[in-house]
Amino acid sequence: MNAQSAIVKTVLDGDTIVLRTTGNSFSSRARWIDAPETRQWVKPETPINLNQWVWGERAKLQLVQLLANRQLLIVERSRDFYGRSLCDWYLDDLNLRNNLQIQLARLGMAAHFLPINLYDFPGNDLDLYCEILRATAEAKQNKIGFWSDPKFVLPYQYRKSGKL
């Protein structure tokens, strides 16, 4: 794994941040998770969905808190449809226990998200994905984070509903 240290410039939402590495600034999307939407990403004419946005803001705040006073290491993997760098995010070292995708899923602030037919799993990738899936399942089972809200709609279902 080729990791690099990154400086967080802005947290946009629970799964997207603007980073700086060696003088370059870019938008980074956490790989294999999906956090609730925040108001900034929806069309102005979209009907208000306070429930989605409240959880989106909570996920964003949780990410800000997790990043506070910690060294962020990123492993760039690919680019998404919007040109964002898809990355794995780690705090302090590349141990799975320090992976932010797993931590956000465990806290009920993100759910696993993987179109499995698009990926191979070289190296430790399968371990990472399984831990994200396990953390999501445990948060759901224990009603942690947005899983405690019976009215919450998962981010991909919300986008699919055409409300964006």
Side-chain angles (χ1 to χ4, degrees):
M1 249 187 294
N2 189 14
Q4 56 185 320
S5 182
I7 296 170
V8 177
K9 291 180 69 175
T10 307
V11 175
L12 298 176
D13 60 26
D15 56 27
T16 308
I17 54 182
V18 178
L19 300 172
R20 187 175 70 231
T21 59
T22 59
N24 298 320
S25 291
F26 60 95
S27 183
S28 173
R29 171 81 161 70
R31 186 171 70 141
W32 295 344
I33 64 167
D34 201 13
E37 301 300 326
T38 58
R39 179 73 172 117
Q40 69 188 23
W41 295 110
V42 297
K43 299 173 190 170
E45 67 275 8
T46 301
I48 292 175
N49 185 331
L50 293 177
N51 196 39
Q52 183 71 212
W53 300 337
V54 165
W55 283 107
E57 289 301 319
R58 288 179 183 170
K60 177 181 175 179
L61 180 60
Q62 184 68 64
L63 182 55
V64 167
Q65 291 172 347
L66 288 169
L67 289 165
N69 301 314
R70 303 288 296 273
Q71 178 187 11
L72 177 65
L73 298 172
I74 62 166
V75 179
E76 291 187 77
R77 299 301 188 157
S78 61
R79 298 244 172 229
D80 71 4
F81 177 78
Y82 302 103
R84 297 175 295 191
S85 181
L86 289 172
C87 298
D88 296 329
W89 300 340
Y90 294 87
L91 296 173
D92 303 324
D93 65 42
L94 297 181
N95 192 301
L96 282 180
R97 75 175 176 274
N98 293 327
N99 177 273
L100 280 169
Q101 293 110 288
I102 294 169
Q103 290 183 36
L104 289 165
R106 185 168 286 125
L107 292 166
M109 295 294 140
H112 70 91
F113 185 69
L114 174 67
I116 199 145
N117 60 319
L118 300 180
Y119 291 95
D120 293 322
F121 294 97
N124 292 333
D125 279 6
L126 185 57
D127 292 339
L128 173 59
Y129 183 70
C130 287
E131 284 303 312
I132 292 169
L133 184 59
R134 181 185 329 279
T136 301
E138 288 172 359
K140 182 176 190 260
Q141 183 176 19
N142 294 313
K143 297 184 181 347
I144 296 171
F146 56 65
W147 298 108
S148 67
D149 184 344
K151 295 180 181 178
F152 183 75
V153 177
L154 288 171
Y156 81 92
Q157 293 171 325
Y158 179 71
R159 287 189 301 276
K160 190 176 177 181
S161 72
K163 294 182 180 178
L164 291 179

